[in-house]
mmCIF file of all heavy atoms in Angstrom:
data_model
loop_
_atom_site.group_PDB
_atom_site.id
_atom_site.type_symbol
_atom_site.label_atom_id
_atom_site.label_comp_id
_atom_site.label_asym_id
_atom_site.label_seq_id
_atom_site.Cartn_x
_atom_site.Cartn_y
_atom_site.Cartn_z
ATOM 1 N N MET A 1 -94.843 -49.028 12.950
ATOM 2 C CA MET A 1 -94.979 -50.001 14.009
ATOM 3 C C MET A 1 -95.654 -49.305 15.188
ATOM 4 O O MET A 1 -95.254 -48.219 15.587
ATOM 5 C CB MET A 1 -93.588 -50.505 14.390
ATOM 6 C CG MET A 1 -93.594 -51.598 15.394
ATOM 7 S SD MET A 1 -91.953 -52.195 15.874
ATOM 8 C CE MET A 1 -91.247 -52.658 14.347
ATOM 9 N N SER A 2 -96.656 -49.944 15.727
ATOM 10 C CA SER A 2 -97.401 -49.320 16.820
ATOM 11 C C SER A 2 -96.617 -49.418 18.136
ATOM 12 O O SER A 2 -95.678 -50.199 18.274
ATOM 13 C CB SER A 2 -98.758 -49.987 16.981
ATOM 14 O OG SER A 2 -98.598 -51.305 17.436
ATOM 15 N N LYS A 3 -97.030 -48.604 19.069
ATOM 16 C CA LYS A 3 -96.330 -48.548 20.351
ATOM 17 C C LYS A 3 -96.450 -49.857 21.122
ATOM 18 O O LYS A 3 -95.498 -50.290 21.765
ATOM 19 C CB LYS A 3 -96.887 -47.386 21.170
ATOM 20 C CG LYS A 3 -96.108 -47.126 22.417
ATOM 21 C CD LYS A 3 -96.555 -45.859 23.089
ATOM 22 C CE LYS A 3 -95.708 -45.630 24.317
ATOM 23 N NZ LYS A 3 -95.867 -44.304 24.845
ATOM 24 N N SER A 4 -97.595 -50.493 21.044
ATOM 25 C CA SER A 4 -97.768 -51.763 21.768
ATOM 26 C C SER A 4 -96.891 -52.865 21.174
ATOM 27 O O SER A 4 -96.350 -53.697 21.908
ATOM 28 C CB SER A 4 -99.230 -52.184 21.764
ATOM 29 O OG SER A 4 -99.664 -52.446 20.447
ATOM 30 N N THR A 5 -96.714 -52.846 19.854
ATOM 31 C CA THR A 5 -95.833 -53.828 19.226
ATOM 32 C C THR A 5 -94.390 -53.603 19.649
ATOM 33 O O THR A 5 -93.662 -54.551 19.944
ATOM 34 C CB THR A 5 -95.941 -53.736 17.689
ATOM 35 O OG1 THR A 5 -97.301 -53.894 17.316
ATOM 36 C CG2 THR A 5 -95.102 -54.791 17.023
ATOM 37 N N ARG A 6 -93.981 -52.346 19.691
ATOM 38 C CA ARG A 6 -92.619 -52.035 20.143
ATOM 39 C C ARG A 6 -92.395 -52.479 21.579
ATOM 40 O O ARG A 6 -91.361 -53.065 21.904
ATOM 41 C CB ARG A 6 -92.355 -50.537 20.033
ATOM 42 C CG ARG A 6 -92.115 -50.071 18.658
ATOM 43 C CD ARG A 6 -91.741 -48.617 18.650
ATOM 44 N NE ARG A 6 -91.616 -48.170 17.268
ATOM 45 C CZ ARG A 6 -91.559 -46.933 16.910
ATOM 46 N NH1 ARG A 6 -91.610 -45.973 17.818
ATOM 47 N NH2 ARG A 6 -91.431 -46.608 15.639
ATOM 48 N N ASN A 7 -93.357 -52.203 22.431
ATOM 49 C CA ASN A 7 -93.218 -52.603 23.829
ATOM 50 C C ASN A 7 -93.161 -54.115 23.977
ATOM 51 O O ASN A 7 -92.400 -54.630 24.792
ATOM 52 C CB ASN A 7 -94.366 -52.034 24.657
ATOM 53 C CG ASN A 7 -94.239 -50.541 24.841
ATOM 54 O OD1 ASN A 7 -93.149 -49.975 24.733
ATOM 55 N ND2 ASN A 7 -95.356 -49.885 25.104
ATOM 56 N N THR A 8 -93.937 -54.825 23.188
ATOM 57 C CA THR A 8 -93.923 -56.287 23.243
ATOM 58 C C THR A 8 -92.574 -56.833 22.784
ATOM 59 O O THR A 8 -92.011 -57.732 23.420
ATOM 60 C CB THR A 8 -95.049 -56.862 22.364
ATOM 61 O OG1 THR A 8 -96.294 -56.321 22.796
ATOM 62 C CG2 THR A 8 -95.088 -58.373 22.455
ATOM 63 N N LEU A 9 -92.035 -56.285 21.705
ATOM 64 C CA LEU A 9 -90.735 -56.739 21.210
ATOM 65 C C LEU A 9 -89.617 -56.403 22.194
ATOM 66 O O LEU A 9 -88.688 -57.190 22.384
ATOM 67 C CB LEU A 9 -90.445 -56.134 19.840
ATOM 68 C CG LEU A 9 -91.296 -56.668 18.696
ATOM 69 C CD1 LEU A 9 -90.977 -55.918 17.410
ATOM 70 C CD2 LEU A 9 -91.093 -58.154 18.502
ATOM 71 N N ARG A 10 -89.699 -55.259 22.834
ATOM 72 C CA ARG A 10 -88.714 -54.906 23.868
ATOM 73 C C ARG A 10 -88.787 -55.878 25.030
ATOM 74 O O ARG A 10 -87.756 -56.317 25.548
ATOM 75 C CB ARG A 10 -88.947 -53.492 24.371
ATOM 76 C CG ARG A 10 -88.492 -52.440 23.440
ATOM 77 C CD ARG A 10 -88.740 -51.067 24.008
ATOM 78 N NE ARG A 10 -88.538 -50.064 22.973
ATOM 79 C CZ ARG A 10 -88.935 -48.820 23.063
ATOM 80 N NH1 ARG A 10 -89.568 -48.398 24.135
ATOM 81 N NH2 ARG A 10 -88.708 -47.970 22.076
ATOM 82 N N LEU A 11 -89.991 -56.215 25.441
ATOM 83 C CA LEU A 11 -90.166 -57.161 26.534
ATOM 84 C C LEU A 11 -89.592 -58.520 26.178
ATOM 85 O O LEU A 11 -88.919 -59.153 27.000
ATOM 86 C CB LEU A 11 -91.652 -57.274 26.894
ATOM 87 C CG LEU A 11 -92.004 -58.224 28.030
ATOM 88 C CD1 LEU A 11 -91.391 -57.723 29.324
ATOM 89 C CD2 LEU A 11 -93.491 -58.351 28.154
ATOM 90 N N ILE A 12 -89.819 -58.973 24.961
ATOM 91 C CA ILE A 12 -89.281 -60.258 24.519
ATOM 92 C C ILE A 12 -87.753 -60.228 24.536
ATOM 93 O O ILE A 12 -87.113 -61.183 24.992
ATOM 94 C CB ILE A 12 -89.826 -60.611 23.121
ATOM 95 C CG1 ILE A 12 -91.311 -60.939 23.204
ATOM 96 C CG2 ILE A 12 -89.056 -61.778 22.511
ATOM 97 C CD1 ILE A 12 -91.988 -61.060 21.860
ATOM 98 N N SER A 13 -87.160 -59.144 24.056
ATOM 99 C CA SER A 13 -85.698 -59.069 24.044
ATOM 100 C C SER A 13 -85.127 -59.052 25.459
ATOM 101 O O SER A 13 -84.109 -59.690 25.730
ATOM 102 C CB SER A 13 -85.220 -57.858 23.249
ATOM 103 O OG SER A 13 -85.563 -56.667 23.886
ATOM 104 N N VAL A 14 -85.787 -58.367 26.381
ATOM 105 C CA VAL A 14 -85.321 -58.341 27.766
ATOM 106 C C VAL A 14 -85.436 -59.722 28.398
ATOM 107 O O VAL A 14 -84.536 -60.170 29.116
ATOM 108 C CB VAL A 14 -86.111 -57.290 28.573
ATOM 109 C CG1 VAL A 14 -85.876 -57.434 30.062
ATOM 110 C CG2 VAL A 14 -85.737 -55.901 28.108
ATOM 111 N N ILE A 15 -86.511 -60.431 28.120
ATOM 112 C CA ILE A 15 -86.693 -61.778 28.667
ATOM 113 C C ILE A 15 -85.630 -62.729 28.129
ATOM 114 O O ILE A 15 -85.081 -63.546 28.875
ATOM 115 C CB ILE A 15 -88.116 -62.287 28.370
ATOM 116 C CG1 ILE A 15 -89.126 -61.525 29.219
ATOM 117 C CG2 ILE A 15 -88.231 -63.783 28.626
ATOM 118 C CD1 ILE A 15 -90.564 -61.788 28.861
ATOM 119 N N ILE A 16 -85.301 -62.608 26.855
ATOM 120 C CA ILE A 16 -84.254 -63.452 26.271
ATOM 121 C C ILE A 16 -82.921 -63.183 26.955
ATOM 122 O O ILE A 16 -82.193 -64.115 27.326
ATOM 123 C CB ILE A 16 -84.136 -63.214 24.750
ATOM 124 C CG1 ILE A 16 -85.357 -63.764 24.026
ATOM 125 C CG2 ILE A 16 -82.879 -63.873 24.195
ATOM 126 C CD1 ILE A 16 -85.413 -63.393 22.550
ATOM 127 N N VAL A 17 -82.594 -61.919 27.156
ATOM 128 C CA VAL A 17 -81.320 -61.573 27.790
ATOM 129 C C VAL A 17 -81.281 -62.054 29.234
ATOM 130 O O VAL A 17 -80.271 -62.605 29.687
ATOM 131 C CB VAL A 17 -81.064 -60.052 27.703
ATOM 132 C CG1 VAL A 17 -79.883 -59.647 28.555
ATOM 133 C CG2 VAL A 17 -80.847 -59.642 26.264
ATOM 134 N N LEU A 18 -82.366 -61.894 29.963
ATOM 135 C CA LEU A 18 -82.407 -62.377 31.349
ATOM 136 C C LEU A 18 -82.251 -63.888 31.422
ATOM 137 O O LEU A 18 -81.555 -64.408 32.289
ATOM 138 C CB LEU A 18 -83.706 -61.944 32.022
ATOM 139 C CG LEU A 18 -83.801 -60.469 32.389
ATOM 140 C CD1 LEU A 18 -85.174 -60.162 32.966
ATOM 141 C CD2 LEU A 18 -82.714 -60.093 33.368
ATOM 142 N N ALA A 19 -82.878 -64.607 30.505
ATOM 143 C CA ALA A 19 -82.731 -66.061 30.483
ATOM 144 C C ALA A 19 -81.289 -66.454 30.181
ATOM 145 O O ALA A 19 -80.748 -67.387 30.794
ATOM 146 C CB ALA A 19 -83.674 -66.664 29.445
ATOM 147 N N LEU A 20 -80.637 -65.735 29.274
ATOM 148 C CA LEU A 20 -79.240 -66.029 28.955
ATOM 149 C C LEU A 20 -78.320 -65.744 30.134
ATOM 150 O O LEU A 20 -77.385 -66.507 30.401
ATOM 151 C CB LEU A 20 -78.800 -65.233 27.731
ATOM 152 C CG LEU A 20 -79.423 -65.671 26.416
ATOM 153 C CD1 LEU A 20 -79.085 -64.675 25.315
ATOM 154 C CD2 LEU A 20 -78.950 -67.053 26.036
ATOM 155 N N VAL A 21 -78.587 -64.668 30.858
ATOM 156 C CA VAL A 21 -77.774 -64.363 32.038
ATOM 157 C C VAL A 21 -77.952 -65.440 33.103
ATOM 158 O O VAL A 21 -76.977 -65.895 33.714
ATOM 159 C CB VAL A 21 -78.135 -62.966 32.601
ATOM 160 C CG1 VAL A 21 -77.547 -62.742 33.973
ATOM 161 C CG2 VAL A 21 -77.681 -61.890 31.637
ATOM 162 N N LEU A 22 -79.179 -65.877 33.310
ATOM 163 C CA LEU A 22 -79.418 -66.938 34.292
ATOM 164 C C LEU A 22 -78.769 -68.249 33.875
ATOM 165 O O LEU A 22 -78.304 -69.019 34.719
ATOM 166 C CB LEU A 22 -80.920 -67.117 34.508
ATOM 167 C CG LEU A 22 -81.611 -65.955 35.232
ATOM 168 C CD1 LEU A 22 -83.103 -66.194 35.291
ATOM 169 C CD2 LEU A 22 -81.037 -65.763 36.616
ATOM 170 N N MET A 23 -78.702 -68.513 32.572
ATOM 171 C CA MET A 23 -78.000 -69.708 32.096
ATOM 172 C C MET A 23 -76.505 -69.609 32.358
ATOM 173 O O MET A 23 -75.862 -70.588 32.715
ATOM 174 C CB MET A 23 -78.244 -69.920 30.605
ATOM 175 C CG MET A 23 -79.572 -70.512 30.272
ATOM 176 S SD MET A 23 -79.662 -70.830 28.513
ATOM 177 C CE MET A 23 -81.325 -70.343 28.170
ATOM 178 N N GLU A 24 -75.935 -68.421 32.183
ATOM 179 C CA GLU A 24 -74.508 -68.230 32.448
ATOM 180 C C GLU A 24 -74.187 -68.389 33.933
ATOM 181 O O GLU A 24 -73.114 -68.861 34.292
ATOM 182 C CB GLU A 24 -74.050 -66.851 31.975
ATOM 183 C CG GLU A 24 -73.879 -66.739 30.492
ATOM 184 C CD GLU A 24 -72.749 -67.600 29.966
ATOM 185 O OE1 GLU A 24 -71.695 -67.703 30.627
ATOM 186 O OE2 GLU A 24 -72.948 -68.194 28.891
ATOM 187 N N LEU A 25 -75.111 -67.989 34.791
ATOM 188 C CA LEU A 25 -74.908 -68.108 36.235
ATOM 189 C C LEU A 25 -75.289 -69.481 36.772
ATOM 190 O O LEU A 25 -75.231 -69.712 37.976
ATOM 191 C CB LEU A 25 -75.711 -67.031 36.956
ATOM 192 C CG LEU A 25 -75.281 -65.589 36.677
ATOM 193 C CD1 LEU A 25 -76.236 -64.618 37.347
ATOM 194 C CD2 LEU A 25 -73.857 -65.352 37.145
ATOM 195 N N ASN A 26 -75.693 -70.373 35.883
ATOM 196 C CA ASN A 26 -76.109 -71.739 36.234
ATOM 197 C C ASN A 26 -77.293 -71.771 37.189
ATOM 198 O O ASN A 26 -77.432 -72.688 37.991
ATOM 199 C CB ASN A 26 -74.939 -72.540 36.816
ATOM 200 C CG ASN A 26 -73.894 -72.810 35.776
ATOM 201 O OD1 ASN A 26 -74.190 -73.036 34.610
ATOM 202 N ND2 ASN A 26 -72.634 -72.771 36.202
ATOM 203 N N VAL A 27 -78.129 -70.750 37.140
ATOM 204 C CA VAL A 27 -79.360 -70.741 37.930
ATOM 205 C C VAL A 27 -80.384 -71.649 37.253
ATOM 206 O O VAL A 27 -81.072 -72.421 37.920
ATOM 207 C CB VAL A 27 -79.903 -69.305 38.083
ATOM 208 C CG1 VAL A 27 -81.247 -69.300 38.770
ATOM 209 C CG2 VAL A 27 -78.899 -68.456 38.827
ATOM 210 N N ILE A 28 -80.467 -71.545 35.951
ATOM 211 C CA ILE A 28 -81.287 -72.467 35.168
ATOM 212 C C ILE A 28 -80.354 -73.239 34.249
ATOM 213 O O ILE A 28 -79.311 -72.725 33.846
ATOM 214 C CB ILE A 28 -82.394 -71.731 34.372
ATOM 215 C CG1 ILE A 28 -81.807 -70.693 33.422
ATOM 216 C CG2 ILE A 28 -83.405 -71.098 35.285
ATOM 217 C CD1 ILE A 28 -82.827 -70.038 32.522
ATOM 218 N N PRO A 29 -80.683 -74.464 33.913
ATOM 219 C CA PRO A 29 -79.776 -75.253 33.081
ATOM 220 C C PRO A 29 -79.701 -74.716 31.652
ATOM 221 O O PRO A 29 -80.626 -74.063 31.172
ATOM 222 C CB PRO A 29 -80.403 -76.654 33.102
ATOM 223 C CG PRO A 29 -81.825 -76.427 33.436
ATOM 224 C CD PRO A 29 -81.873 -75.199 34.302
ATOM 225 N N ASP A 30 -78.576 -75.005 31.012
ATOM 226 C CA ASP A 30 -78.420 -74.608 29.607
ATOM 227 C C ASP A 30 -79.405 -75.396 28.769
ATOM 228 O O ASP A 30 -79.341 -76.615 28.687
ATOM 229 C CB ASP A 30 -77.003 -74.894 29.120
ATOM 230 C CG ASP A 30 -75.990 -73.965 29.753
ATOM 231 O OD1 ASP A 30 -76.406 -72.899 30.225
ATOM 232 O OD2 ASP A 30 -74.801 -74.310 29.755
ATOM 233 N N LEU A 31 -80.329 -74.687 28.147
ATOM 234 C CA LEU A 31 -81.353 -75.354 27.363
ATOM 235 C C LEU A 31 -80.902 -75.573 25.923
ATOM 236 O O LEU A 31 -81.219 -76.578 25.318
ATOM 237 C CB LEU A 31 -82.644 -74.534 27.394
ATOM 238 C CG LEU A 31 -83.229 -74.314 28.790
ATOM 239 C CD1 LEU A 31 -84.426 -73.394 28.710
ATOM 240 C CD2 LEU A 31 -83.617 -75.638 29.395
ATOM 241 N N LEU A 32 -80.160 -74.622 25.408
ATOM 242 C CA LEU A 32 -79.740 -74.712 24.016
ATOM 243 C C LEU A 32 -78.286 -74.287 23.894
ATOM 244 O O LEU A 32 -77.763 -73.554 24.725
ATOM 245 C CB LEU A 32 -80.608 -73.808 23.130
ATOM 246 C CG LEU A 32 -82.090 -74.146 23.114
ATOM 247 C CD1 LEU A 32 -82.852 -73.037 22.423
ATOM 248 C CD2 LEU A 32 -82.323 -75.455 22.378
ATOM 249 N N ASN A 33 -77.644 -74.752 22.856
ATOM 250 C CA ASN A 33 -76.251 -74.398 22.627
ATOM 251 C C ASN A 33 -76.112 -73.183 21.725
ATOM 252 O O ASN A 33 -75.021 -72.897 21.259
ATOM 253 C CB ASN A 33 -75.507 -75.569 22.002
ATOM 254 C CG ASN A 33 -75.395 -76.725 22.965
ATOM 255 O OD1 ASN A 33 -75.312 -76.529 24.160
ATOM 256 N ND2 ASN A 33 -75.391 -77.930 22.436
ATOM 257 N N TYR A 34 -77.182 -72.464 21.492
ATOM 258 C CA TYR A 34 -77.169 -71.317 20.593
ATOM 259 C C TYR A 34 -77.264 -70.002 21.349
ATOM 260 O O TYR A 34 -77.968 -69.085 20.946
ATOM 261 C CB TYR A 34 -78.322 -71.421 19.590
ATOM 262 C CG TYR A 34 -78.268 -72.664 18.752
ATOM 263 C CD1 TYR A 34 -79.161 -73.701 18.948
ATOM 264 C CD2 TYR A 34 -77.305 -72.796 17.765
ATOM 265 C CE1 TYR A 34 -79.109 -74.841 18.179
ATOM 266 C CE2 TYR A 34 -77.241 -73.931 16.980
ATOM 267 C CZ TYR A 34 -78.147 -74.946 17.192
ATOM 268 O OH TYR A 34 -78.087 -76.071 16.430
ATOM 269 N N LYS A 35 -76.550 -69.880 22.456
ATOM 270 C CA LYS A 35 -76.633 -68.672 23.278
ATOM 271 C C LYS A 35 -76.229 -67.427 22.497
ATOM 272 O O LYS A 35 -76.864 -66.386 22.619
ATOM 273 C CB LYS A 35 -75.732 -68.803 24.495
ATOM 274 C CG LYS A 35 -76.199 -69.790 25.512
ATOM 275 C CD LYS A 35 -75.266 -69.729 26.692
ATOM 276 C CE LYS A 35 -75.265 -71.017 27.428
ATOM 277 N NZ LYS A 35 -74.278 -71.022 28.492
ATOM 278 N N PHE A 36 -75.169 -67.538 21.717
ATOM 279 C CA PHE A 36 -74.694 -66.385 20.954
ATOM 280 C C PHE A 36 -75.773 -65.878 20.016
ATOM 281 O O PHE A 36 -76.021 -64.675 19.928
ATOM 282 C CB PHE A 36 -73.432 -66.758 20.170
ATOM 283 C CG PHE A 36 -72.987 -65.678 19.225
ATOM 284 C CD1 PHE A 36 -72.345 -64.560 19.710
ATOM 285 C CD2 PHE A 36 -73.230 -65.781 17.871
ATOM 286 C CE1 PHE A 36 -71.931 -63.552 18.849
ATOM 287 C CE2 PHE A 36 -72.827 -64.787 17.003
ATOM 288 C CZ PHE A 36 -72.177 -63.666 17.492
ATOM 289 N N TRP A 37 -76.439 -66.776 19.306
ATOM 290 C CA TRP A 37 -77.441 -66.364 18.336
ATOM 291 C C TRP A 37 -78.689 -65.808 19.012
ATOM 292 O O TRP A 37 -79.353 -64.930 18.470
ATOM 293 C CB TRP A 37 -77.776 -67.495 17.376
ATOM 294 C CG TRP A 37 -76.588 -67.802 16.530
ATOM 295 C CD1 TRP A 37 -75.818 -68.915 16.573
ATOM 296 C CD2 TRP A 37 -76.004 -66.943 15.549
ATOM 297 N NE1 TRP A 37 -74.794 -68.800 15.675
ATOM 298 C CE2 TRP A 37 -74.879 -67.612 15.031
ATOM 299 C CE3 TRP A 37 -76.316 -65.675 15.063
ATOM 300 C CZ2 TRP A 37 -74.078 -67.039 14.042
ATOM 301 C CZ3 TRP A 37 -75.505 -65.117 14.083
ATOM 302 C CH2 TRP A 37 -74.415 -65.791 13.581
ATOM 303 N N PHE A 38 -79.012 -66.316 20.201
ATOM 304 C CA PHE A 38 -80.126 -65.726 20.941
ATOM 305 C C PHE A 38 -79.787 -64.300 21.375
ATOM 306 O O PHE A 38 -80.635 -63.419 21.357
ATOM 307 C CB PHE A 38 -80.497 -66.575 22.153
ATOM 308 C CG PHE A 38 -81.367 -67.745 21.811
ATOM 309 C CD1 PHE A 38 -80.918 -69.036 21.991
ATOM 310 C CD2 PHE A 38 -82.638 -67.549 21.312
ATOM 311 C CE1 PHE A 38 -81.723 -70.110 21.665
ATOM 312 C CE2 PHE A 38 -83.451 -68.616 20.995
ATOM 313 C CZ PHE A 38 -82.984 -69.902 21.166
ATOM 314 N N MET A 39 -78.531 -64.072 21.749
ATOM 315 C CA MET A 39 -78.123 -62.725 22.127
ATOM 316 C C MET A 39 -78.161 -61.797 20.918
ATOM 317 O O MET A 39 -78.591 -60.643 21.023
ATOM 318 C CB MET A 39 -76.717 -62.737 22.730
ATOM 319 C CG MET A 39 -76.274 -61.389 23.233
ATOM 320 S SD MET A 39 -77.337 -60.670 24.493
ATOM 321 C CE MET A 39 -76.882 -61.633 25.900
ATOM 322 N N VAL A 40 -77.744 -62.280 19.761
ATOM 323 C CA VAL A 40 -77.816 -61.482 18.537
ATOM 324 C C VAL A 40 -79.270 -61.154 18.209
ATOM 325 O O VAL A 40 -79.591 -60.024 17.842
ATOM 326 C CB VAL A 40 -77.136 -62.226 17.370
ATOM 327 C CG1 VAL A 40 -77.413 -61.556 16.047
ATOM 328 C CG2 VAL A 40 -75.641 -62.326 17.607
ATOM 329 N N ALA A 41 -80.155 -62.111 18.356
ATOM 330 C CA ALA A 41 -81.575 -61.878 18.081
ATOM 331 C C ALA A 41 -82.156 -60.855 19.055
ATOM 332 O O ALA A 41 -82.933 -59.973 18.659
ATOM 333 C CB ALA A 41 -82.346 -63.186 18.158
ATOM 334 N N ALA A 42 -81.794 -60.947 20.330
ATOM 335 C CA ALA A 42 -82.289 -59.987 21.314
ATOM 336 C C ALA A 42 -81.780 -58.583 20.998
ATOM 337 O O ALA A 42 -82.526 -57.605 21.096
ATOM 338 C CB ALA A 42 -81.854 -60.403 22.713
ATOM 339 N N TYR A 43 -80.514 -58.474 20.583
ATOM 340 C CA TYR A 43 -79.964 -57.171 20.224
ATOM 341 C C TYR A 43 -80.660 -56.610 18.987
ATOM 342 O O TYR A 43 -80.955 -55.418 18.922
ATOM 343 C CB TYR A 43 -78.456 -57.294 19.990
ATOM 344 C CG TYR A 43 -77.788 -55.996 19.654
ATOM 345 C CD1 TYR A 43 -77.611 -55.016 20.638
ATOM 346 C CD2 TYR A 43 -77.331 -55.719 18.373
ATOM 347 C CE1 TYR A 43 -77.009 -53.815 20.334
ATOM 348 C CE2 TYR A 43 -76.722 -54.518 18.069
ATOM 349 C CZ TYR A 43 -76.560 -53.573 19.053
ATOM 350 O OH TYR A 43 -75.976 -52.384 18.745
ATOM 351 N N ALA A 44 -80.926 -57.472 18.027
ATOM 352 C CA ALA A 44 -81.617 -57.022 16.807
ATOM 353 C C ALA A 44 -83.029 -56.534 17.126
ATOM 354 O O ALA A 44 -83.464 -55.510 16.591
ATOM 355 C CB ALA A 44 -81.659 -58.153 15.792
ATOM 356 N N LEU A 45 -83.725 -57.246 17.993
ATOM 357 C CA LEU A 45 -85.059 -56.797 18.398
ATOM 358 C C LEU A 45 -84.997 -55.438 19.084
ATOM 359 O O LEU A 45 -85.834 -54.569 18.835
ATOM 360 C CB LEU A 45 -85.710 -57.817 19.335
ATOM 361 C CG LEU A 45 -86.297 -59.066 18.717
ATOM 362 C CD1 LEU A 45 -86.757 -60.022 19.801
ATOM 363 C CD2 LEU A 45 -87.457 -58.704 17.814
ATOM 364 N N ALA A 46 -83.999 -55.268 19.945
ATOM 365 C CA ALA A 46 -83.856 -53.987 20.624
ATOM 366 C C ALA A 46 -83.551 -52.879 19.624
ATOM 367 O O ALA A 46 -84.091 -51.774 19.734
ATOM 368 C CB ALA A 46 -82.763 -54.086 21.686
ATOM 369 N N LEU A 47 -82.695 -53.149 18.669
ATOM 370 C CA LEU A 47 -82.366 -52.144 17.656
ATOM 371 C C LEU A 47 -83.584 -51.743 16.842
ATOM 372 O O LEU A 47 -83.808 -50.565 16.548
ATOM 373 C CB LEU A 47 -81.300 -52.678 16.707
ATOM 374 C CG LEU A 47 -79.867 -52.316 17.018
ATOM 375 C CD1 LEU A 47 -78.939 -52.955 16.009
ATOM 376 C CD2 LEU A 47 -79.672 -50.837 17.039
ATOM 377 N N ILE A 48 -84.387 -52.714 16.480
ATOM 378 C CA ILE A 48 -85.584 -52.433 15.682
ATOM 379 C C ILE A 48 -86.561 -51.564 16.463
ATOM 380 O O ILE A 48 -87.164 -50.638 15.914
ATOM 381 C CB ILE A 48 -86.260 -53.757 15.245
ATOM 382 C CG1 ILE A 48 -85.384 -54.474 14.225
ATOM 383 C CG2 ILE A 48 -87.656 -53.511 14.692
ATOM 384 C CD1 ILE A 48 -85.836 -55.897 13.928
ATOM 385 N N THR A 49 -86.709 -51.840 17.744
ATOM 386 C CA THR A 49 -87.733 -51.135 18.509
ATOM 387 C C THR A 49 -87.290 -49.745 18.952
ATOM 388 O O THR A 49 -88.154 -48.912 19.232
ATOM 389 C CB THR A 49 -88.142 -51.939 19.752
ATOM 390 O OG1 THR A 49 -86.998 -52.154 20.568
ATOM 391 C CG2 THR A 49 -88.753 -53.251 19.365
ATOM 392 N N TYR A 50 -86.008 -49.478 19.032
ATOM 393 C CA TYR A 50 -85.559 -48.174 19.519
ATOM 394 C C TYR A 50 -85.444 -47.134 18.424
ATOM 395 O O TYR A 50 -85.033 -46.027 18.660
ATOM 396 C CB TYR A 50 -84.230 -48.292 20.264
ATOM 397 C CG TYR A 50 -84.396 -48.969 21.602
ATOM 398 C CD1 TYR A 50 -83.705 -50.109 21.919
ATOM 399 C CD2 TYR A 50 -85.276 -48.448 22.543
ATOM 400 C CE1 TYR A 50 -83.868 -50.730 23.134
ATOM 401 C CE2 TYR A 50 -85.445 -49.063 23.754
ATOM 402 C CZ TYR A 50 -84.738 -50.199 24.057
ATOM 403 O OH TYR A 50 -84.924 -50.815 25.252
ATOM 404 N N ARG A 51 -85.798 -47.470 17.192
ATOM 405 C CA ARG A 51 -85.745 -46.490 16.113
ATOM 406 C C ARG A 51 -87.055 -45.783 15.953
ATOM 407 O O ARG A 51 -88.082 -46.121 16.317
ATOM 408 C CB ARG A 51 -85.389 -47.181 14.811
ATOM 409 C CG ARG A 51 -83.948 -47.575 14.829
ATOM 410 C CD ARG A 51 -83.537 -48.044 13.486
ATOM 411 N NE ARG A 51 -82.114 -48.353 13.571
ATOM 412 C CZ ARG A 51 -81.369 -48.479 12.527
ATOM 413 N NH1 ARG A 51 -81.855 -48.360 11.351
ATOM 414 N NH2 ARG A 51 -80.104 -48.753 12.663
#
């Protein structure tokens, strides 16, 4: 996996986590009821890129 791909996937995972935190703080409305699975996906992306 190239470095640019890793950086892009890391950025996507960080954006997902930030959106979930803002949803928990009611800054932005809850868009989906799958918050847990989005957090799992963000963690999986982070795990893949840090190896």
Side-chain angles (χ1 to χ4, degrees):
M1 185 181 304
S2 68
K3 188 172 182 167
S4 64
T5 304
R6 284 185 184 166
N7 288 337
T8 303
L9 290 176
R10 284 181 191 165
L11 180 64
I12 290 170
S13 67
V14 168
I15 289 171
I16 290 172
V17 170
L18 287 176
L20 290 171
V21 167
L22 291 176
M23 282 185 220
E24 284 294 321
L25 295 175
N26 292 324
V27 174
I28 58 174
D30 290 339
L31 300 175
L32 299 169
N33 293 328
Y34 301 108
K35 290 184 206 175
F36 173 76
W37 294 111
F38 279 116
M39 184 59 75
V40 169
Y43 182 72
L45 282 174
L47 265 178
I48 291 169
T49 59
Y50 288 122
R51 287 189 178 197

